[in-house]
């Protein structure tokens, strides 16, 4: 079945890089997404990658995709305290359109 | 351009009652999807509406229903509320084509007592 797995917690020092990892199951997924959720807020789309790409860079964010291993990662360079949030990886579920399958979320804590 | 607007922001209900949540999508967006977020189950897809028709549905009981109006605004209804329905309900909108970005609202926090 469809499943997305993430590690639950990551703690980094301010200024360091953060790497959040995700594995997914549906090899037919065409787009994979990273969302950010701050306390009391909805989901903010951070970035996404098309399945025929290996890497996508967007300012401080770098997404790496290993389609063979169904592994996705999000690297945040120069992590700041404002990056503290929960990060969700998501793949598009079967049935297409706007059914996304989300991971449980990785809570990123940034300390001085 | 205004984002996705969900009302109300907070709701408190008691078991057995029913509730209606509202979502106004981004202007020009024709697809509205609903998700339930709980600490135990995470984010789960409820259903999606496009041009007033339900296009996709998740694995939720029939107590959960929705509709979409001609202006693309959507409502979600939960009847006979149970304690386990306490959750953050998130609405997302998109233009409605395949493989698009979804834009989420801030959600409605429902507490069932």
């Amino acid at each position: 079945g469809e499943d997305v797995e993430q590690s639950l917690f990551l703690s980094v020092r301010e200024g360091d890089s953060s790497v959040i990892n995700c594995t997914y199951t549906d090899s037919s997924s065409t787009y994979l997404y990273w969302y950010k959720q701050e306390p009391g807020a909805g989901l903010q789309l951070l970035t996404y990658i098309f399945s025929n790409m290996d890497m996508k860079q967007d300012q401080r964010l770098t997404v790496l995709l290993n389609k063979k291993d169904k592994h996705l990662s999000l690297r945040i360079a120069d992590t700041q305290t404002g990056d503290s949030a929960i990060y969700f990886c998501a793949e598009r579920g079967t049935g297409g359109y706007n059914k996304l399958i989300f991971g449980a979320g990785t809570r990123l804590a940034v300390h001085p | 351009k205004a984002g996705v607007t969900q009302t109300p922001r907070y709701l408190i209900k008691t078991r057995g009652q029913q509730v209606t949540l509202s979502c106004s999508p981004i202007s020009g967006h024709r697809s509205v999807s609903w998700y339930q977020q709980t600490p135990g189950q995470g984010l789960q897809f409820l259903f999606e509406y496009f041009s007033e028709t339900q296009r996709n549905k998740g694995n939720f009981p029939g107590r959960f229903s929705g509709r979409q109006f001609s202006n693309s605004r959507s409502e979600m209804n939960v009847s006979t509320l149970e304690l386990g329905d306490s959750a953050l309900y998130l609405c997302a909108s998109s233009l409605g084509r395949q493989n698009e970005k979804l834009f989420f609202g801030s959600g409605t926090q429902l507490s069932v007592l």
Side-chain angles (χ1 to χ4, degrees), chain A residues 3-4 30 35 41 45 52 54-55 57 63 67 74 78 86 92 94-95 97 106:
Chain A
D3 194 21
V4 177
T30 50
Y35 282 87
L45 177 64
N52 70 352
D54 298 323
M55 184 182 88
Q57 187 150 2
V63 179
K67 199 171 179 183
L74 174 69
D78 186 26
I86 301 176
R92 194 168 292 278
T94 54
Y97 298 109
T106 300

Side-chain angles (χ1 to χ4, degrees), chain A residues 13-34:
Chain A
R13 190 182 302 273
E14 192 173 14
D16 287 351
S17 291
S18 308
V19 179
I20 302 171
N21 295 300
C22 166
T23 57
Y24 61 98
T25 55
D26 187 355
S27 58
S28 65
S29 287
T30 50
Y31 278 92
L32 295 144
Y33 304 85
W34 284 102

Side-chain angles (χ1 to χ4, degrees), chain A residues 83-94:
Chain A
D83 295 323
S84 294
I86 301 176
Y87 291 80
F88 292 93
C89 166
E91 65 171 344
R92 194 168 292 278
T94 54

Side-chain angles (χ1 to χ4, degrees), chain A residues 55-69:
Chain A
M55 184 182 88
K56 180 179 180 182
Q57 187 150 2
D58 186 359
Q59 299 183 329
R60 291 191 300 124
L61 305 177
T62 302
V63 179
L64 294 177
L65 175 60
N66 181 329
K67 199 171 179 183
K68 174 176 167 289
D69 295 336

Side-chain angles (χ1 to χ4, degrees), chain B residues 57-88:
Chain B
K57 189 176 187 304
N59 295 323
F60 278 81
R63 299 185 297 107
F64 292 82
S65 63
R67 59 177 176 168
Q68 187 180 34
F69 302 95
S70 58
N71 62 357
S72 294
R73 189 178 72 85
S74 176
E75 288 182 347
M76 190 191 107
N77 185 273
V78 188
S79 62
T80 320
L81 283 166
E82 301 177 0
L83 295 179
D85 297 333
S86 294
L88 179 66

